[in-house]
Amino acid sequence: MLSSSIYPLANPKGVKMECEICQKTAHIMCTQCRVTFYCDVTHQAADWNGIHEKICQLLIPVRMPLPFFSSKKERDHSKEQLVQRQKYLIDLTRTVAQKLLFEGKHEEAIPGALQSMRFASAVYGSLSAELVPSQLLLAEASIGLGRLHEAEEYLSQAQWTMMKTTECINAIQYKLYRNLGLLYTAKCEYDKALWYFADDVTDIWKNFLAELVETEIQKSLWKAGLSSPESGTSLVDMEDVFDASQKAEAVKILHVIFDMRNQELLVKNGKIGNIAHTLAMLYYLFQDFSKAIEYGELALEDNKMFVHKKEIATIQHLLTMAKKALSYPGGKGPSPYDWANSC
């Protein structure tokens, strides 16, 4: 139940009197946890409906001053407990905010996203990649509410962080691209929107094809008797994945993106390498090894400019496999007998 007191006189030592939603001077305190403050009842209600009802009592141990312990071991244990509570709250608040976004409740998603960003900053630091998921949640909520300037600020922060770190996983990059596409669509800047939606499509295809390429390589080894499939692993036949029309569609979609990247005047930032790598994998799966090598070499050249070591190693391995396959009669790859004698 939402309750508050006006102009509280007794506050926990060291707790800032700032509104949870807007960080302005607060005049209202939640009487249930007594560690949360608001500038007015409107922001208190918004926070309660968005996240506070779920975390009210959980905030008490993370916002109260740490108790004094005489031994270092006790102090370290107390600090570790605090960090674990904060990490739990990061996951909980993000999950709640994401669920609300899925339901189209953009306004209600903001308090949870704000809380997750604050806890992430407290645990990992204000420049950590751990803040990016929260920034993207806030950007998505802002776009849904038509607050495009705020959305652009959150996305700029996320982009800057991702440029400075290698910690961000592909799933986070997809969300950034998608949100940038949504932002520029809302601003009627359709060329820029297409650019970022293309990034999203490319990475989805890239991860999908990477799994298939690895399966194809393993399948060749299994047929040659050089390895055995792990429990529960199935050998995927490319004919079951792509029929003729699907092959044509895949080639068309990825080439449209490649041509757009090649002609675009904006800074490419390794995007040519990304789409070229994706095309190289596609042609490898279709056993067009000449084209796989052509696009693989282009991807390798572009990625070397940005020193993506893991990406470079993956492309080099693909090129090695494609060149070996092309060297066999008919350019259709080695037989199991050939694999057994060459490995």
Side-chain angles (χ1 to χ4, degrees), residues 273-293:
N274 206 30
I275 184 61
H277 185 187
T278 307
L279 278 165
M281 289 191 290
L282 187 72
Y283 282 120
Y284 179 85
L285 291 169
F286 294 169
Q287 296 191 3
D288 190 337
F289 300 116
S290 294
K291 286 189 176 179
I293 293 168

mmCIF file of all heavy atoms in Angstrom, residues 273-293:
data_model
loop_
_atom_site.group_PDB
_atom_site.id
_atom_site.type_symbol
_atom_site.label_atom_id
_atom_site.label_comp_id
_atom_site.label_asym_id
_atom_site.label_seq_id
_atom_site.Cartn_x
_atom_site.Cartn_y
_atom_site.Cartn_z
ATOM 1 N N GLY A 273 32.988 -5.179 -42.950
ATOM 2 C CA GLY A 273 33.523 -6.468 -42.519
ATOM 3 C C GLY A 273 32.447 -7.368 -41.956
ATOM 4 O O GLY A 273 32.442 -8.580 -42.182
ATOM 5 N N ASN A 274 31.503 -6.804 -41.239
ATOM 6 C CA ASN A 274 30.438 -7.582 -40.613
ATOM 7 C C ASN A 274 29.545 -8.239 -41.658
ATOM 8 O O ASN A 274 29.279 -9.440 -41.608
ATOM 9 C CB ASN A 274 29.613 -6.654 -39.710
ATOM 10 C CG ASN A 274 28.931 -7.404 -38.588
ATOM 11 O OD1 ASN A 274 29.431 -8.413 -38.114
ATOM 12 N ND2 ASN A 274 27.804 -6.894 -38.142
ATOM 13 N N ILE A 275 29.090 -7.454 -42.630
ATOM 14 C CA ILE A 275 28.211 -8.015 -43.654
ATOM 15 C C ILE A 275 28.983 -8.924 -44.610
ATOM 16 O O ILE A 275 28.463 -9.936 -45.084
ATOM 17 C CB ILE A 275 27.468 -6.886 -44.426
ATOM 18 C CG1 ILE A 275 26.473 -7.461 -45.429
ATOM 19 C CG2 ILE A 275 28.428 -5.954 -45.106
ATOM 20 C CD1 ILE A 275 25.377 -8.295 -44.835
ATOM 21 N N ALA A 276 30.257 -8.585 -44.872
ATOM 22 C CA ALA A 276 31.077 -9.441 -45.734
ATOM 23 C C ALA A 276 31.312 -10.801 -45.081
ATOM 24 O O ALA A 276 31.261 -11.846 -45.748
ATOM 25 C CB ALA A 276 32.414 -8.758 -46.037
ATOM 26 N N HIS A 277 31.565 -10.819 -43.788
ATOM 27 C CA HIS A 277 31.728 -12.073 -43.054
ATOM 28 C C HIS A 277 30.453 -12.907 -43.123
ATOM 29 O O HIS A 277 30.487 -14.133 -43.324
ATOM 30 C CB HIS A 277 32.089 -11.764 -41.600
ATOM 31 C CG HIS A 277 32.403 -12.965 -40.773
ATOM 32 N ND1 HIS A 277 32.617 -12.901 -39.425
ATOM 33 C CD2 HIS A 277 32.525 -14.281 -41.107
ATOM 34 C CE1 HIS A 277 32.864 -14.114 -38.961
ATOM 35 N NE2 HIS A 277 32.805 -14.972 -39.962
ATOM 36 N N THR A 278 29.313 -12.252 -42.988
ATOM 37 C CA THR A 278 28.026 -12.946 -43.057
ATOM 38 C C THR A 278 27.820 -13.571 -44.435
ATOM 39 O O THR A 278 27.386 -14.723 -44.558
ATOM 40 C CB THR A 278 26.880 -11.972 -42.734
ATOM 41 O OG1 THR A 278 27.150 -11.326 -41.489
ATOM 42 C CG2 THR A 278 25.546 -12.687 -42.637
ATOM 43 N N LEU A 279 28.138 -12.820 -45.484
ATOM 44 C CA LEU A 279 28.020 -13.356 -46.846
ATOM 45 C C LEU A 279 29.003 -14.500 -47.078
ATOM 46 O O LEU A 279 28.672 -15.484 -47.760
ATOM 47 C CB LEU A 279 28.263 -12.240 -47.869
ATOM 48 C CG LEU A 279 27.053 -11.341 -48.159
ATOM 49 C CD1 LEU A 279 27.492 -10.072 -48.880
ATOM 50 C CD2 LEU A 279 26.003 -12.092 -48.979
ATOM 51 N N ALA A 280 30.204 -14.388 -46.520
ATOM 52 C CA ALA A 280 31.195 -15.458 -46.675
ATOM 53 C C ALA A 280 30.667 -16.761 -46.075
ATOM 54 O O ALA A 280 30.808 -17.840 -46.672
ATOM 55 C CB ALA A 280 32.509 -15.054 -46.006
ATOM 56 N N MET A 281 30.046 -16.674 -44.911
ATOM 57 C CA MET A 281 29.478 -17.874 -44.282
ATOM 58 C C MET A 281 28.324 -18.429 -45.104
ATOM 59 O O MET A 281 28.176 -19.651 -45.256
ATOM 60 C CB MET A 281 29.023 -17.550 -42.862
ATOM 61 C CG MET A 281 30.160 -17.312 -41.886
ATOM 62 S SD MET A 281 29.617 -17.233 -40.155
ATOM 63 C CE MET A 281 28.717 -15.684 -40.151
ATOM 64 N N LEU A 282 27.489 -17.531 -45.624
ATOM 65 C CA LEU A 282 26.350 -17.984 -46.431
ATOM 66 C C LEU A 282 26.837 -18.754 -47.649
ATOM 67 O O LEU A 282 26.337 -19.858 -47.941
ATOM 68 C CB LEU A 282 25.516 -16.780 -46.863
ATOM 69 C CG LEU A 282 24.204 -17.112 -47.584
ATOM 70 C CD1 LEU A 282 23.187 -17.683 -46.610
ATOM 71 C CD2 LEU A 282 23.636 -15.871 -48.261
ATOM 72 N N TYR A 283 27.814 -18.199 -48.361
ATOM 73 C CA TYR A 283 28.319 -18.874 -49.566
ATOM 74 C C TYR A 283 29.077 -20.157 -49.216
ATOM 75 O O TYR A 283 29.068 -21.117 -49.993
ATOM 76 C CB TYR A 283 29.198 -17.920 -50.371
ATOM 77 C CG TYR A 283 28.397 -16.929 -51.181
ATOM 78 C CD1 TYR A 283 28.533 -15.551 -50.981
ATOM 79 C CD2 TYR A 283 27.480 -17.367 -52.128
ATOM 80 C CE1 TYR A 283 27.782 -14.645 -51.719
ATOM 81 C CE2 TYR A 283 26.723 -16.462 -52.867
ATOM 82 C CZ TYR A 283 26.872 -15.112 -52.656
ATOM 83 O OH TYR A 283 26.121 -14.221 -53.395
ATOM 84 N N TYR A 284 29.707 -20.188 -48.052
ATOM 85 C CA TYR A 284 30.369 -21.429 -47.629
ATOM 86 C C TYR A 284 29.333 -22.532 -47.442
ATOM 87 O O TYR A 284 29.532 -23.670 -47.880
ATOM 88 C CB TYR A 284 31.140 -21.198 -46.326
ATOM 89 C CG TYR A 284 31.827 -22.438 -45.811
ATOM 90 C CD1 TYR A 284 33.085 -22.801 -46.282
ATOM 91 C CD2 TYR A 284 31.208 -23.265 -44.876
ATOM 92 C CE1 TYR A 284 33.708 -23.955 -45.824
ATOM 93 C CE2 TYR A 284 31.813 -24.417 -44.411
ATOM 94 C CZ TYR A 284 33.074 -24.760 -44.882
ATOM 95 O OH TYR A 284 33.685 -25.907 -44.435
ATOM 96 N N LEU A 285 28.217 -22.197 -46.815
ATOM 97 C CA LEU A 285 27.151 -23.185 -46.601
ATOM 98 C C LEU A 285 26.534 -23.640 -47.917
ATOM 99 O O LEU A 285 26.112 -24.792 -48.054
ATOM 100 C CB LEU A 285 26.075 -22.595 -45.694
ATOM 101 C CG LEU A 285 26.490 -22.358 -44.235
ATOM 102 C CD1 LEU A 285 25.437 -21.540 -43.507
ATOM 103 C CD2 LEU A 285 26.708 -23.688 -43.521
ATOM 104 N N PHE A 286 26.476 -22.724 -48.901
ATOM 105 C CA PHE A 286 25.919 -23.068 -50.211
ATOM 106 C C PHE A 286 26.968 -23.714 -51.117
ATOM 107 O O PHE A 286 26.711 -23.983 -52.283
ATOM 108 C CB PHE A 286 25.369 -21.816 -50.893
ATOM 109 C CG PHE A 286 24.169 -21.219 -50.193
ATOM 110 C CD1 PHE A 286 23.702 -19.962 -50.547
ATOM 111 C CD2 PHE A 286 23.501 -21.905 -49.191
ATOM 112 C CE1 PHE A 286 22.601 -19.399 -49.912
ATOM 113 C CE2 PHE A 286 22.405 -21.354 -48.550
ATOM 114 C CZ PHE A 286 21.955 -20.094 -48.911
ATOM 115 N N GLN A 287 28.184 -23.936 -50.580
ATOM 116 C CA GLN A 287 29.311 -24.559 -51.284
ATOM 117 C C GLN A 287 29.772 -23.759 -52.496
ATOM 118 O O GLN A 287 30.326 -24.311 -53.441
ATOM 119 C CB GLN A 287 28.962 -26.006 -51.689
ATOM 120 C CG GLN A 287 28.730 -26.908 -50.485
ATOM 121 C CD GLN A 287 28.648 -28.378 -50.861
ATOM 122 O OE1 GLN A 287 28.825 -28.757 -52.024
ATOM 123 N NE2 GLN A 287 28.377 -29.215 -49.878
ATOM 124 N N ASP A 288 29.569 -22.455 -52.446
ATOM 125 C CA ASP A 288 30.146 -21.568 -53.450
ATOM 126 C C ASP A 288 31.421 -21.002 -52.818
ATOM 127 O O ASP A 288 31.460 -19.873 -52.326
ATOM 128 C CB ASP A 288 29.172 -20.436 -53.796
ATOM 129 C CG ASP A 288 29.627 -19.634 -55.017
ATOM 130 O OD1 ASP A 288 30.843 -19.660 -55.314
ATOM 131 O OD2 ASP A 288 28.779 -18.978 -55.646
ATOM 132 N N PHE A 289 32.479 -21.816 -52.836
ATOM 133 C CA PHE A 289 33.672 -21.512 -52.060
ATOM 134 C C PHE A 289 34.459 -20.333 -52.617
ATOM 135 O O PHE A 289 35.149 -19.639 -51.878
ATOM 136 C CB PHE A 289 34.545 -22.759 -51.939
ATOM 137 C CG PHE A 289 33.839 -23.903 -51.256
ATOM 138 C CD1 PHE A 289 33.567 -25.085 -51.934
ATOM 139 C CD2 PHE A 289 33.417 -23.777 -49.939
ATOM 140 C CE1 PHE A 289 32.900 -26.120 -51.312
ATOM 141 C CE2 PHE A 289 32.753 -24.810 -49.307
ATOM 142 C CZ PHE A 289 32.492 -25.987 -49.987
ATOM 143 N N SER A 290 34.368 -20.098 -53.922
ATOM 144 C CA SER A 290 35.051 -18.937 -54.505
ATOM 145 C C SER A 290 34.507 -17.637 -53.912
ATOM 146 O O SER A 290 35.269 -16.739 -53.522
ATOM 147 C CB SER A 290 34.890 -18.926 -56.028
ATOM 148 O OG SER A 290 35.548 -20.017 -56.606
ATOM 149 N N LYS A 291 33.200 -17.533 -53.855
ATOM 150 C CA LYS A 291 32.592 -16.336 -53.288
ATOM 151 C C LYS A 291 32.802 -16.271 -51.771
ATOM 152 O O LYS A 291 32.939 -15.185 -51.191
ATOM 153 C CB LYS A 291 31.102 -16.275 -53.625
ATOM 154 C CG LYS A 291 30.829 -15.914 -55.079
ATOM 155 C CD LYS A 291 29.363 -15.655 -55.320
ATOM 156 C CE LYS A 291 29.118 -15.199 -56.765
ATOM 157 N NZ LYS A 291 27.680 -14.953 -57.024
ATOM 158 N N ALA A 292 32.824 -17.427 -51.135
ATOM 159 C CA ALA A 292 33.099 -17.455 -49.699
ATOM 160 C C ALA A 292 34.481 -16.870 -49.423
ATOM 161 O O ALA A 292 34.667 -16.088 -48.480
ATOM 162 C CB ALA A 292 33.011 -18.881 -49.162
ATOM 163 N N ILE A 293 35.449 -17.205 -50.267
ATOM 164 C CA ILE A 293 36.808 -16.682 -50.116
ATOM 165 C C ILE A 293 36.837 -15.187 -50.431
ATOM 166 O O ILE A 293 37.469 -14.393 -49.724
ATOM 167 C CB ILE A 293 37.781 -17.447 -51.037
ATOM 168 C CG1 ILE A 293 37.908 -18.896 -50.561
ATOM 169 C CG2 ILE A 293 39.146 -16.765 -51.073
ATOM 170 C CD1 ILE A 293 38.616 -19.813 -51.539
#
